[in-house]
Amino acid sequence: MGQTHSSESAGFMIVGVIGGGQLARMMIPAAVNLGIEIRVLAESDGMAAGLAASDVGDYRDRDTVLAFAETVDVITFDHEHVPQEILRELVERGVRVHPGPDALLYAQDKLLMRAKLSELGLPVPDWARIENAAELGDFLDAHGGRAVVKTARGGYDGRGVRVVSAAHEADDWFIALAEDGRGGALLVEEVVDFRRELAQLVARRPSGDVAVWPVVETVQRNGVCSEVIAPAPQSTGRVADVAAEIAVTIANGIGATGVLAVELFQTTDERLLVNELAMRPHNSGHWSMDGSTTSQFEQHLRAVLDLPLGGTESRGAWSVMVNILGGPAEGSLADRYQAALAEHPTVKLHNYGKDPQPGRKVGHVTATGAELDVVVYEARATAAFFQD
Amino acid sequence: MGQTHSSESAGFMIVGVIGGGQLARMMIPAAVNLGIEIRVLAESDGMAAGLAASDVGDYRDRDTVLAFAETVDVITFDHEHVPQEILRELVERGVRVHPGPDALLYAQDKLLMRAKLSELGLPVPDWARIENAAELGDFLDAHGGRAVVKTARGGYDGRGVRVVSAAHEADDWFIALAEDGRGGALLVEEVVDFRRELAQLVARRPSGDVAVWPVVETVQRNGVCSEVIAPAPQSTGRVADVAAEIAVTIANGIGATGVLAVELFQTTDERLLVNELAMRPHNSGHWSMDGSTTSQFEQHLRAVLDLPLGGTESRGAWSVMVNILGGPAEGSLADRYQAALAEHPTVKLHNYGKDPQPGRKVGHVTATGAELDVVVYEARATAAFFQD
């Protein structure tokens, strides 16, 4: 496929994005600028990426995904939830899928991810695969009586993650796995004594080139990213080098294509441990839309099309991104524009076009500048206009 | 109108753009970021702004434009060619139109523009309204035997402009005006001995606030803009102040809303004279997409929605924009991506999605950085990949 579409549309490259959320939405400006046609398979009407939605349907339905793939040159994703069997059928049919199923596996299954990272010799928290409460008890005994239990699949933004201090506290998950009958297991990890969380983004194209942005500091509230500082303060030298090396090793080691986000713990004893992977543009990279020569969304499109990657120089000394979580209690984000934009003319506002709802990521703001305290203030003060 | 649509779509503001060219196209990224819904009335299918084309039809057809206006909150433009009678009917029906017909008149009719600028006391070339060859002859006699004749309406990119040295050289235009029978006339101007051309962009919102970008130098080839340097070299101090003051005086004087571009001559004796006006985002402002805190397209949307204007600080010391004129002799721009992007990873490429055609503006590139000679080289060398 692919070539027919390209020649039909004056040499445009058509990227198909599965999933219609804000990540797909934020690919649209990059696609428009680069002259790339973007088509989205959205879960429903009126989603954040609705402007580019060419199809509406269920990404778990084989026929829906196959029909969508027929209309594009390369398939990529707003999320990592497309079932492996569908991804593999696409590849068998000659569709270019980036990231491919072999790589996506490690974003879909945290047990496989942990095993792979250990195999690659990368620093990770102590972990184990556990199938029952007895095994959880053993792990707790060996790790000071506390541990983090995670479902291998389906968790995000803090869901599917539980800190436990007794072996029975994951019983409901063990029961669900037994009922599921597919021989699944849970992941248990030591509770890491971390000083802060970092994220390292890397882009990799199929032919192998990689590009990294500066490592950033991420601040979570209730398991959800609330703020990102780019670059991470006090991260020149060793921390930056190690973070970049970890991300590049992972990207090459699993054959990731597109943007890969590596969430890291910086421990109180100054080690970096890999926490999670995301294999797509990531909340920790939103600052790059305004703060970097190449945004993560443009870079992702370049990478999945196997085009040369763009420069990742920062546009200012500091960029701070603050998420708008939930939005106003009444009305819409737009109701606050007059006040917010008048007060903060240099802060860049991104509104995902979603209805406000408690906890929901409905937008973000990014400030960029020379003085970190000013930039942090500008970003936080602007975001505050949009939350009650 | 307006309010119904807003409330129906979760507080979004719907901007309707008449005209589907690259200026409408480049409003799309800004609209997506700000959560503004954009709808385009395109002249035909497959235009540059096709992604946002909600209607296809003739902007000179009253019913087509009125029907389109019913679906949006504010009307703005990709060009200045919508007939006055249609614009006035929109306003009478309560539609918000920005810029409005009273302002657009001065972008539509160069004789009215010259008269208005003279009335505002602004510096313009010597000019006259002429109805026949005898009047042209008189003007030539008084100005050293050479003059520039312009049709009052319909010219752009060098069309409708002619340098003459004999009274008979505009006879075909006089004949056409006589046949038209509406009492039209031509504009004649002195040939200005200019050192270079500048452009000053200003944005004005209906409530009156204005914001200016730094004055830029524009380079034309065959009457078409080929290159823009921002800011114009050697333009600190008086030149910058005078250029900004001229543009603000015009914007306020004619009640312009949205972006207004003022093309200026810098004469060999160091005066600034107003050449042309454009009442919309303008080629001389494309650099702002990558080189300014607020792009002209975002600013235009903010202005026509009467939102606070964004900061116009430059992101680097210098930005240079080079137009891609014509494109490759064979194939498409996309065929050159591998080579061009590999060589110039920090240059930002904008592809309008138009078929290559000699002389046609099919895209542009912008380089930004600290050293002007490096930035000029980067931009020109990148653009060269896309032209034969």
Side-chain angles (χ1 to χ4, degrees), chain B residues 124-186:
Chain B
V124 293
D126 277 350
W127 67 278
R129 180 180 196 279
I130 51 171
E131 293 184 12
N132 53 53
E135 290 177 356
L136 175 53
D138 292 344
F139 192 90
L140 283 168
D141 291 345
H143 292 85
R146 285 180 77 223
V148 183
V149 181
K150 298 179 177 180
T151 56
R153 290 168 171 269
Y156 65 97
D157 280 355
R159 282 172 249 199
V161 176
R162 194 179 287 173
V163 179
V164 302
S165 50
H168 67 84
E169 289 184 64
D171 281 353
D172 53 332
W173 285 349
F174 286 123
I175 291 168
L177 285 173
E179 283 172 356
D180 185 53
R182 285 188 292 182
L186 296 179

Side-chain angles (χ1 to χ4, degrees), chain B residues 109-365:
Chain B
D109 189 308
K110 289 176 187 170
L111 277 167
L112 292 175
M113 183 266 284
R114 279 282 173 255
K116 183 70 178 179
L117 295 183
S118 297
E119 179 196 321
L120 290 170
L122 292 168
V124 293
D126 277 350
W127 67 278
R129 180 180 196 279
I130 51 171
E131 293 184 12
N132 53 53
E135 290 177 356
L136 175 53
D138 292 344
F139 192 90
L140 283 168
D141 291 345
H143 292 85
R146 285 180 77 223
V148 183
V149 181
K150 298 179 177 180
T151 56
R153 290 168 171 269
Y156 65 97
D157 280 355
R159 282 172 249 199
V161 176
R162 194 179 287 173
V163 179
V164 302
S165 50
H168 67 84
E169 289 184 64
D171 281 353
D172 53 332
W173 285 349
F174 286 123
I175 291 168
L177 285 173
E179 283 172 356
D180 185 53
R182 285 188 292 182
L186 296 179
L187 169 66
V188 63
E189 299 176 350
E190 66 172 319
V191 177
V192 175
D193 193 12
F194 62 86
R195 190 160 72 75
R196 60 179 181 174
E197 291 185 73
L198 304 175
Q200 175 66 57
L201 263 68
V202 58
R204 183 174 176 277
R205 51 187 291 208
S207 54
D209 289 346
V210 296
V212 294
W213 286 269
V215 67
V216 301
E217 178 172 345
T218 65
V219 181
Q220 332 288 324
R221 281 203 194 98
N222 305 320
V224 178
C225 174
S226 69
E227 194 171 304
V228 172
I229 305 174
Q234 294 103 43
S235 70
T236 48
R238 198 194 67 91
V239 170
D241 293 346
V242 171
E245 194 187 323
I246 288 172
V248 170
T249 301
I250 296 172
N252 288 329
I254 66 177
T257 44
V259 168
L260 166 74
V262 181
E263 298 180 20
L264 297 157
F265 295 124
Q266 185 171 9
T267 64
T268 48
D269 56 352
E270 295 300 326
R271 291 174 301 144
L272 295 185
L273 302 180
V274 179
N275 179 19
E276 304 267 0
L277 303 184
M279 225 160 288
R280 48 170 170 75
H282 187 252
N283 202 161
S284 66
H286 289 356
W287 69 277
S288 63
M289 298 176 83
D290 301 299
S292 178
T293 298
T294 307
S295 81
Q296 64 168 345
F297 299 100
E298 177 180 340
Q299 199 77 299
H300 187 74
L301 293 175
R302 288 182 182 227
V304 302
L305 287 163
D306 206 13
L307 289 169
L309 301 176
T312 51
E313 301 78 7
S314 293
R315 280 174 166 165
W318 299 101
S319 290
V320 172
M321 190 266 352
V322 177
N323 274 338
I324 301 171
L325 292 172
E330 281 185 34
S332 73
L333 294 186
D335 300 338
R336 314 292 173 93
Y337 274 30
Q338 290 291 352
L341 300 180
E343 199 74 26
H344 300 285
T346 65
V347 175
K348 305 316 292 178
L349 171 63
H350 298 262
N351 175 347
Y352 307 154
K354 296 158 77 171
D355 290 324
Q357 193 172 298
R360 196 179 213 187
K361 290 177 181 171
V362 293
H364 74 265
V365 301

Side-chain angles (χ1 to χ4, degrees), chain A residues 134-323:
Chain A
E135 291 177 355
L136 176 52
D138 292 344
F139 192 92
L140 283 168
D141 291 345
H143 291 86
R146 287 179 77 222
V148 182
V149 181
K150 299 179 178 180
T151 57
R153 288 167 172 269
Y156 65 97
D157 279 354
R159 283 171 248 199
V161 176
R162 195 179 287 172
V163 179
V164 302
S165 49
H168 67 85
E169 288 183 66
D171 280 355
D172 53 332
W173 284 349
F174 286 124
I175 289 167
L177 285 173
E179 284 171 355
D180 183 54
R182 286 188 293 183
L186 297 178
L187 169 65
V188 63
E189 299 175 350
E190 66 172 318
V191 177
V192 174
D193 194 10
F194 64 84
R195 189 160 73 75
R196 61 178 181 174
E197 291 185 75
L198 303 175
Q200 176 67 56
L201 264 66
V202 58
R204 184 175 177 276
R205 53 188 288 208
S207 53
D209 289 346
V210 296
V212 295
W213 287 267
V215 67
V216 301
E217 178 171 344
T218 65
V219 181
Q220 332 289 323
R221 282 205 191 96
N222 305 320
V224 177
C225 174
S226 68
E227 193 171 302
V228 172
I229 304 174
Q234 292 102 45
S235 70
T236 49
R238 200 194 67 89
V239 170
D241 292 346
V242 171
E245 194 187 325
I246 288 172
V248 170
T249 302
I250 296 172
N252 287 328
I254 65 178
T257 43
V259 168
L260 166 74
V262 181
E263 298 180 19
L264 298 157
F265 295 124
Q266 185 170 10
T267 64
T268 49
D269 57 353
E270 295 301 326
R271 292 174 301 143
L272 295 185
L273 302 178
V274 178
N275 179 20
E276 305 267 0
L277 303 183
M279 223 159 289
R280 48 172 169 74
H282 187 251
N283 202 161
S284 65
H286 289 355
W287 68 275
S288 63
M289 298 177 84
D290 301 298
S292 179
T293 298
T294 307
S295 82
Q296 65 168 344
F297 298 99
E298 176 179 341
Q299 198 77 299
H300 187 74
L301 293 175
R302 287 182 180 227
V304 303
L305 287 163
D306 205 14
L307 289 170
L309 301 176
T312 52
E313 302 79 5
S314 294
R315 280 174 166 164
W318 299 101
S319 289
V320 173
M321 191 267 349
V322 177
N323 275 337

Side-chain angles (χ1 to χ4, degrees), chain A residues 13-32:
Chain A
M13 296 149 289
I14 308 178
V15 175
V17 185
I18 298 183
Q22 65 261 28
L23 300 180
R25 178 189 181 96
M26 289 186 273
M27 292 180 203
I28 298 173
V32 168

